[in-house]
Amino acid sequence: MTTFDDRENAYENKFAHDAELQFKADARCNKMLGVWAADLLGKTGPAAADYISSVVTADFEEAGHEDVYRKLAADLDGKADEAAIRAKMAECMLEARRQVLEEI
């Protein structure tokens, strides 16, 4: 194997590793958002768990986080405005990344 092949493999491995970490952080962020929103909606027990799961799966509708925002905005109508939802999304993403990086 040449140095070029080694370098190419290293970049590919780093890309795959970074993508995996981002996926974990996104999923964890969405779970935190689901917990927050379930609390605002007064959901507890199995209803809260189902709602949290629905927030996590909402992220698979399209690339990016707008699909999660739209779900939260529709569900939290009157309980949280756009600024509050987006601020919570940013807060949860920072926390999720911190937690994922601590696990490495």
Side-chain angles (χ1 to χ4, degrees):
M1 200 174 266
T2 67
T3 302
F4 180 76
D5 291 334
D6 291 342
R7 185 176 297 164
E8 182 180 19
N9 287 337
Y11 281 122
E12 288 174 2
N13 290 339
K14 181 182 180 337
F15 180 81
H17 178 72
D18 289 350
E20 180 183 355
L21 291 179
Q22 185 61 49
F23 178 81
K24 287 180 179 180
D26 287 344
R28 188 166 299 188
C29 172
N30 292 332
K31 184 175 181 182
M32 286 186 235
L33 288 167
V35 169
W36 171 72
D39 185 52
L40 286 178
L41 295 170
K43 295 182 183 283
T44 59
D50 289 344
Y51 182 77
I52 293 165
S53 179
S54 75
V55 172
V56 172
T57 58
D59 195 27
F60 299 125
E61 292 175 13
E62 63 186 47
H65 302 286
E66 285 304 303
D67 42 2
V68 174
Y69 168 76
R70 282 193 306 273
K71 173 165 182 47
L72 293 173
D75 294 347
L76 297 175
D77 188 33
K79 297 187 184 301
D81 62 4
E82 179 179 358
I85 294 169
R86 292 202 184 272
K88 192 63 173 180
M89 290 176 78
E91 176 187 325
C92 288
M93 183 53 76
L94 286 174
E95 179 61 20
R97 285 182 180 157
R98 185 191 65 74
Q99 289 177 9
V100 168
L101 289 175
E102 280 184 356
E103 293 173 1
I104 298 176

